[in-house]
Amino acid sequence: MMNKIKPELFWVVDYYPDSGISKGEYYEQITREVEYAEKLGYRGVWIAEHHFIDYGIVPSAPIYLTYLASRTSRIRLGPAVSTIVFRNPIQAAEEYSLLDTLSKGRLNLAVGSGYLKHEFTGFNVPPEAKREIFDEALDIIIKLMRGEKITVNGKYFKYENIGINVLPMQKPHPPIWIAVLRAEAAYHVGKKGFNLIMIPYATVDKIDDIMPVVNSFREGLKESKTEEKELSLSFHTHVASSFHDAVETSKEYLHRYVFSRLYAKRRTLDELYGSGLLLFGSPEDVANQIYKIYKLAKPSRIMFLVDYGMKPYDMVIDVLTKIREKVAKHLEEKGILLEFAD
């Protein structure tokens, strides 16, 4: 029996003023990349939401995702993640319900509690309260999306007999992923019966270190007695004719990305190449790396982060095509199907 992984794509939308193109032009470049990805059969698109600086230039994921929905017809769309501790949960429920309706039921909703210090400072939210705020907000969002009228007398939110006037097309609500960094949090995600999303690069030093998080998630799922939920893992990816060629053609962009990343442990590119946290090399190399990851963690989805450091459009398209046409073939020989849409 063939094991299956859904291939998806993730954009941080990191921007560099010295790139020579405007932010508007870069949004349009990514939109064209998404259109091409849909033609190739990628299953989903995830867009990061960040605030205040150019590390990520989509401060409102629902607006950009709605634009992407208007330019596509079948690829699924989602924020990675909507940082709901910075938002009014009623408005989050309204905006994502509207997006699900306008996209004809294509929303995947990933939510998180945030980790960037300057965002908590900018929104005047105390980081030590983020878990409590997140739990209250998510409960409100889910109930509203289900069509419930709610009265809330929480520590952070208080509402009286509130319901929203547009409900999502997917019932009872769009599928929900929760982003985590720690094993303890992953256990609670599983116990509550949610899907889990994780970017190993941001969490661990080497690929084997994700297993305490993954195992905790699955332990929580066992206690929840719910059906098996999805595990989505994201990896920076570059496919070329050889590992050497992949390193040489992408290092300018990877270096730019790595050293723009805030608060992260500084790692040399050589450390990253040996960490197992990047999918780099020839199509066969990348297939071997995915095979190892699957044997280790058995993710149901892999999110390829191909456009980082503002790679040129043609380079991104080349990598997307190589994954579809070459990496997938090597994986199939190993008994793993990258499950592209027909």
Side-chain angles (χ1 to χ4, degrees):
M1 181 177 169
M2 190 77 72
N3 297 302
K4 297 178 181 179
I5 302 175
K6 290 185 176 71
E8 301 186 318
L9 298 169
F10 174 49
W11 281 262
V12 174
V13 198
D14 46 318
Y15 177 78
Y16 307 89
D18 61 358
S19 63
I21 66 172
S22 69
K23 290 177 180 177
E25 288 168 329
Y26 190 44
Y27 294 133
E28 185 60 24
Q29 175 182 318
I30 293 174
T31 302
R32 290 168 56 215
E33 292 167 3
V34 170
E35 289 176 316
Y36 195 83
E38 181 175 71
K39 291 176 183 175
L40 288 175
Y42 284 87
R43 294 283 182 163
V45 168
W46 299 89
I47 300 292
E49 179 180 290
H50 287 297
H51 304 274
F52 308 126
I53 63 172
D54 287 343
Y55 171 67
I57 59 168
V58 176
S60 177
I63 290 178
Y64 187 49
L65 289 168
T66 300
Y67 179 65
L68 292 178
S70 74
R71 296 277 292 264
T72 56
S73 62
R74 62 177 181 172
I75 199 165
R76 293 185 65 81
L77 308 157
V81 296
S82 178
T83 314
I84 58 177
V85 300
F86 302 145
R87 312 190 71 207
N88 180 301
I90 297 174
Q91 291 174 314
E94 290 175 328
E95 290 170 4
Y96 281 110
S97 293
L98 181 57
L99 170 56
D100 194 53
T101 298
L102 292 173
S103 67
K104 298 180 171 61
R106 290 190 279 145
L107 173 64
N108 288 331
L109 180 56
V111 294
S113 57
Y115 68 98
L116 295 176
K117 295 175 186 176
H118 72 276
E119 293 185 345
F120 285 93
T121 300
F123 283 108
N124 196 27
V125 172
E128 63 274 12
K130 71 176 187 177
R131 179 51 53 189
E132 289 183 330
I133 299 171
F134 176 86
D135 288 342
E136 273 192 36
L138 182 58
D139 185 60
I140 290 166
I141 290 167
I142 289 173
K143 286 177 177 176
L144 290 173
M145 283 185 155
R146 285 176 173 162
E148 297 180 28
K149 288 249 181 159
I150 62 168
T151 294
V152 177
N153 186 27
K155 184 175 179 180
Y156 299 97
F157 303 103
K158 300 182 188 298
Y159 306 117
E160 183 71 31
N161 194 31
I162 289 293
I164 59 175
N165 59 359
V166 178
L167 298 179
M169 182 173 288
Q170 298 176 89
K171 304 301 181 185
H173 53 72
I176 293 175
W177 275 259
I178 296 182
V180 301
L181 297 174
R182 297 176 294 106
E184 179 187 350
Y187 171 79
H188 291 291
V189 171
K191 190 172 181 179
K192 292 179 180 179
F194 294 113
N195 303 302
L196 184 140
I197 192 169
M198 182 180 176
I199 303 173
Y201 170 93
T203 307
V204 297
D205 290 329
K206 59 184 186 300
I207 190 62
D208 291 350
D209 294 342
I210 68 170
M211 290 315 297
V213 179
V214 172
N215 290 337
S216 292
F217 169 60
R218 292 191 169 129
E219 282 299 313
L221 278 179
K222 285 179 186 176
E223 290 201 26
S224 74
K225 297 182 171 61
T226 59
E227 62 191 57
E228 182 66 23
K229 292 295 180 177
E230 297 208 58
L231 171 65
S232 300
L233 300 177
S234 179
F235 298 91
H236 295 71
T237 304
H238 194 76
V239 189
S241 59
S242 66
F243 178 76
H244 178 268
D245 190 39
V247 169
E248 289 302 309
T249 55
S250 69
K251 66 182 179 182
E252 171 188 349
Y253 308 103
L254 184 60
H255 185 273
R256 181 188 268 175
Y257 174 85
V258 166
F259 288 94
S260 72
R261 185 169 176 79
L262 296 177
Y263 321 121
K265 176 183 175 183
R266 292 290 186 228
R267 290 175 277 193
T268 68
L269 296 192
D270 284 342
E271 286 173 334
L272 282 172
Y273 296 138
S275 68
L277 303 176
L278 310 177
L279 299 177
F280 264 56
S282 69
E284 186 172 9
D285 292 333
V286 172
N288 288 337
Q289 292 156 12
I290 295 172
Y291 180 78
K292 177 184 176 182
I293 290 163
Y294 185 81
K295 288 299 181 184
L296 184 68
K298 292 184 172 52
S300 54
R301 298 168 185 248
I302 285 186
M303 302 153 55
F304 298 100
L305 203 176
V306 173
D307 185 353
Y308 48 83
M310 293 184 70
K311 286 181 183 173
Y313 173 80
D314 289 344
M315 180 181 288
V316 173
I317 296 306
D318 181 64
V319 175
L320 297 183
T321 305
K322 282 186 169 71
I323 295 169
R324 175 69 174 93
E325 295 181 353
K326 297 182 179 181
V327 174
K329 286 183 180 178
H330 286 291
L331 268 174
E332 200 162 348
E333 293 168 1
K334 297 174 175 293
I336 296 178
L337 179 67
L338 276 183
E339 198 177 15
F340 288 91
D342 293 332

